[in-house]
Amino acid sequence: MKTIRMMLAAPLLAATAAHAADQQLSGAIVSSSGQKLDGVTVSAKREGSTITTSVYTDAVGGYYFPPLAAGKYLVWAQALGFERGTAAVDLSVARRANFALQEISDPERRFRQLPGEMMVAALPEASADDARMKKIFMNNCTGCHSTSYALQFRFDEAGWSHIIDLMKIVPVTGIYPGPNAKPNQILQKHQKQLAAYLARARGPAESSMKIAAHPRPAGEAARAVWTLYDLPLNPDAGVGTRYQTNDGSDWAMGTTSKLGILPHDGAMGLDGAIYFTSNNPNRGVSIGKVDPATGAVKYLKADAPNGLAATSHGLARDRAGNLWFDINPGRRALGKLDAATEKITIYQTPESMSPVGGAVTIDVDGKGMVWASTPSGAVRFDPVAEKFTEFKSVIPEKNPRGSGATYGAAGDRDGNGWWAQMAMDTVYKGDVASGKTIEIKMPDVKVDRLFGEDRAFYDKVSDLGFNAPLPWSQGPRRMGTDKNADLLWVGNSFGSSWAKINTRTLETTIVPLPNPAMQAYHIAVDGRHNVWGNLWTADCIVRLDPATNTWTVFDLPVRGTEIRHISLLERGDKISVVVPVYRTSQMGVLTLRSEAEVAALKAKTQ
């Protein structure tokens, strides 16, 4: 065990003077023709602040913010197909801002507004050839970036072929490995067809894409409140700016670059503070902490070699409020942050065991034990005895088909562990009582009509990985258990689905996402058995009520989000949903309002 005191660093964001949060901001949104617009995103950001609050208009175009601090605000409203409307509002003088939104005339500006899943849904698939290329694009062109980042650009066939030349050798890290790297076998095989397909969709000529209307938020989704906290960019990345110049708030600017971003996973502490891990090399931060009242960011650091901060990736909170994460001070390990003292403690697995590693996911099971993924399986850590137990995958990490590295991990209410080999399409249970590993193979996605003739080629592919799957792979990624039921939920990135697994009987059911263009990433389950999931190629999160099989889609107020983690904090009947808004370098918190709460705010404006 190794204990490291937090290195004091001045917050990068100076806390502003306290303001009384008693100001009411409301208004109405119409189109240029006077039509009342429902489900419009309305955002407000106080001058000098790094906190943005966003709400949505109701069925008759009215919006009502929760109480805001006094001050001068920039307020903006936007909806797909419309130019962003902006206004400067001094809440000490005015409490209302109305907007008449103008339709966008430039088709490219309209297109760049679209969230990633809408772009993908619009890709042609009427013919078998087109459907085949659409599947290859979704599976093999999303490892380093979201779909919207690539599709916002236009290239002819030669241009798209050059893009594929690069991407077929760039691994999931997004780092160019050099000219001698071996190309991705699947992209290599389909390069010519894929380049021609993308040129017809996003080339200089008329596009073959058919964009379907996207419903704006309504009902409960329109009563959501998002709070986004800007995080400073990594000063060691050399990007030259302190914050994102394209923070996603103007949708027509498209999806931003992820250069210099800091957050990866995130969670809310029991005190309301927001924590995030940082997986990119830097000198200042292992764990970041955001003050929810001021937006001030504090860096907590453990040392790594060469003067760098030890990086982190996964994150989970235990019942006592401690934060658990993986951390790399030289050999990747398990870390604990005592939120009260801000002390980081590092626990190394014995040399005889695998280190913590892979795309590490952390979870705390129903017995208080901490589970973390390793390259070859998962480990269970007893915080009281300070003892690790290791479970290994049946398929080796290095095998003839490619990478068997672990991706997601979770612990169930009985104290057993679960993990996924994403590229091998396999989920495992670590049975604590027997010490055995139980293997569960995911059922194939039904695409034989598209790839049946190529089966012999795919049977010989030897470089399967996180962004190089077989066309029929489900791609089990990150997962979450219902701590009040015998259920594990797994996000299948390539199957556009979730897997529901009974943790005792192992019965497995594939649950399709509400839109086949959505790609799942991580899952969290609340105390009422509702299942929440983030979608890394879409600017929304989803919630499934298993009792009624009802989906609710909650749009984010920014574009190009690429969310990789989701966590919950429940207080009574209130829930906070926390997501790291990856590309825009923000932390986001979703809260929900009842009809009565919105009605009370509306009454105050009368």
Side-chain angles (χ1 to χ4, degrees):
M1 183 185 75
K2 182 179 179 183
T3 300
I4 296 180
R5 290 279 179 183
M6 181 274 297
M7 296 183 64
L8 291 175
L12 292 183
L13 202 59
T16 56
H19 290 267
D22 59 357
Q23 308 301 304
Q24 184 72 47
L25 174 62
S26 62
I29 313 288
V30 297
S31 67
S32 57
S33 63
Q35 177 187 1
K36 296 176 180 178
L37 296 178
D38 62 303
V40 175
T41 306
V42 190
S43 304
K45 191 173 191 177
R46 185 160 54 87
E47 189 177 277
S49 175
T50 54
I51 304 174
T52 302
T53 306
S54 298
V55 297
Y56 302 88
T57 56
D58 60 19
V60 293
Y63 70 87
Y64 309 93
F65 275 85
L68 297 172
K72 296 180 179 179
Y73 283 77
L74 178 66
V75 182
W76 61 95
Q78 56 193 332
L80 292 179
F82 293 90
E83 297 283 3
R84 187 174 82 153
T86 61
V89 179
D90 185 345
L91 284 186
S92 64
V93 177
R95 307 288 177 85
R96 191 168 180 84
N98 297 329
F99 295 91
L101 300 186
Q102 305 294 318
E103 291 191 10
I104 296 177
S105 57
D106 180 355
E108 276 304 295
R109 285 176 56 80
R110 292 174 69 96
F111 185 85
R112 288 168 72 91
Q113 275 194 322
L114 301 177
E117 85 280 5
M118 282 190 69
M119 292 184 181
V120 170
L123 287 171
E125 57 181 332
S127 70
D129 285 343
D130 281 358
R132 186 182 301 115
M133 288 304 100
K134 183 171 182 174
K135 185 64 175 174
I136 292 295
F137 175 80
M138 286 185 65
N139 281 18
N140 294 273
C141 297
T142 55
C144 315
H145 50 70
S146 63
T147 48
S148 60
Y149 187 74
L151 291 176
Q152 68 184 335
F153 302 110
R154 303 185 78 158
F155 300 102
D156 60 14
E157 185 174 341
W160 279 114
S161 188
H162 285 310
I163 297 296
I164 299 169
D165 277 335
L166 175 64
M167 297 314 299
K168 70 185 180 184
I169 63 170
V170 173
V172 71
T173 59
I175 299 173
Y176 177 63
N180 297 321
K182 293 182 179 180
N184 175 290
Q185 294 167 26
I186 295 174
L187 282 179
Q188 180 89 330
K189 175 178 176 57
H190 295 289
Q191 179 167 353
K192 182 173 179 58
Q193 266 188 300
L194 182 59
Y197 173 78
L198 292 173
R200 282 191 285 112
R202 290 295 290 159
E206 183 179 354
S207 176
S208 59
M209 298 176 78
K210 304 297 182 185
I211 299 170
H214 182 70
R216 293 193 290 265
E220 186 180 22
R223 298 197 301 273
V225 178
W226 280 100
T227 307
L228 295 185
Y229 300 87
D230 297 342
L231 303 182
L233 293 178
N234 178 3
D236 302 311
V239 295
T241 60
R242 193 174 179 188
Y243 293 93
Q244 281 284 24
T245 52
N246 175 9
D247 63 1
S249 62
D250 186 345
W251 301 348
M253 290 181 67
T255 300
T256 188
S257 166
K258 66 181 182 182
L259 289 175
I261 60 96
L262 284 178
H264 196 280
D265 284 13
M268 184 176 287
L270 298 181
D271 62 352
I274 303 159
Y275 296 86
F276 63 89
T277 59
S278 183
N279 193 40
N280 289 328
N282 71 90
R283 297 181 182 276
V285 56
S286 300
I287 298 292
K289 179 179 180 179
V290 184
D291 184 321
T294 66
V297 179
K298 191 174 190 177
Y299 286 173
L300 312 179
K301 177 185 175 184
D303 290 326
N306 303 320
L308 296 175
T311 55
S312 55
H313 185 280
L315 185 68
R317 184 192 64 250
D318 66 20
R319 291 179 182 177
N322 299 305
L323 282 300
W324 293 89
F325 46 92
D326 65 284
I327 191 161
N328 190 2
R331 182 177 187 264
R332 209 160 174 185
L334 182 67
K336 182 184 82 170
L337 174 68
D338 184 316
T341 64
E342 296 183 339
K343 181 180 73 174
I344 293 175
T345 304
I346 296 177
Y347 303 92
Q348 283 282 2
T349 60
E351 291 293 333
S352 60
M353 292 184 186
S354 299
V356 174
V360 182
T361 307
I362 306 289
D363 192 28
V364 181
D365 68 26
K367 306 297 184 182
M369 305 298 161
V370 182
W371 289 85
S373 47
T374 74
S376 59
V379 290
R380 171 182 178 264
F381 181 69
D382 183 334
V384 177
E386 297 186 357
K387 178 183 177 181
F388 284 95
T389 305
E390 183 176 23
F391 293 82
K392 289 198 171 184
S393 303
V394 175
I395 303 171
E397 176 194 358
K398 296 180 180 178
N399 63 80
R401 297 309 310 273
S403 172
T406 303
Y407 212 106
D412 64 29
R413 68 171 175 173
D414 293 328
N416 300 304
W418 299 80
W419 65 96
Q421 282 182 312
M422 185 176 178
M424 300 293 106
D425 238 21
T426 304
V427 172
Y428 294 97
K429 176 182 180 179
D431 186 80
V432 171
S434 67
K436 294 181 179 179
T437 294
I438 301 170
E439 181 181 16
I440 304 168
K441 180 67 177 174
M442 291 289 101
D444 288 351
V445 176
K446 297 185 185 305
V447 293
D448 278 352
R449 71 178 183 89
L450 302 179
F451 295 92
E453 295 180 0
D454 295 326
R455 193 86 193 204
F457 162 77
Y458 282 105
D459 285 343
K460 295 179 181 179
V461 169
S462 58
D463 62 351
L464 299 177
F466 296 158
N467 65 327
L470 297 170
W472 44 86
S473 292
Q474 293 285 357
R477 204 161 200 157
R478 288 181 137 183
M479 53 184 65
T481 55
D482 188 334
K483 299 301 192 292
N484 299 300
D486 299 322
L487 288 175
L488 168 76
W489 294 84
V490 185
N492 293 324
S493 268
F494 304 128
S496 299
S497 65
W498 289 347
K500 180 177 71 171
I501 301 176
N502 186 296
T503 56
R504 296 190 177 181
T505 67
L506 308 186
E507 179 185 4
T508 301
T509 304
I510 299 299
V511 180
L513 290 170
N515 183 333
M518 292 175 169
Q519 293 181 267
Y521 209 102
H522 189 211
I523 288 174
V525 186
D526 67 28
R528 299 182 180 182
H529 310 293
N530 294 309
V531 190
W532 297 79
N534 61 294
L535 308 165
W536 92 305
T537 58
D539 298 320
C540 60
I541 61 175
V542 294
R543 186 192 65 197
L544 172 67
D545 180 347
T548 61
N549 197 33
T550 303
W551 291 93
T552 306
V553 178
F554 297 94
D555 285 354
L556 271 93
V558 291
R559 281 290 171 265
T561 52
E562 202 170 307
I563 296 169
R564 298 164 181 244
H565 185 256
I566 189 167
S567 63
L568 311 174
L569 179 62
E570 297 178 79
R571 297 185 178 97
D573 61 349
K574 293 295 184 181
I575 187 168
S576 296
V577 183
V578 180
V579 292
V581 192
Y582 183 70
R583 276 188 177 265
T584 58
S585 199
Q586 297 168 312
M587 290 302 299
V589 180
L590 167 72
T591 54
L592 299 174
R593 301 181 290 186
S594 67
E595 292 181 354
E597 288 171 322
V598 175
L601 290 171
K602 183 176 181 179
K604 292 181 180 179
T605 68
Q606 304 303 315

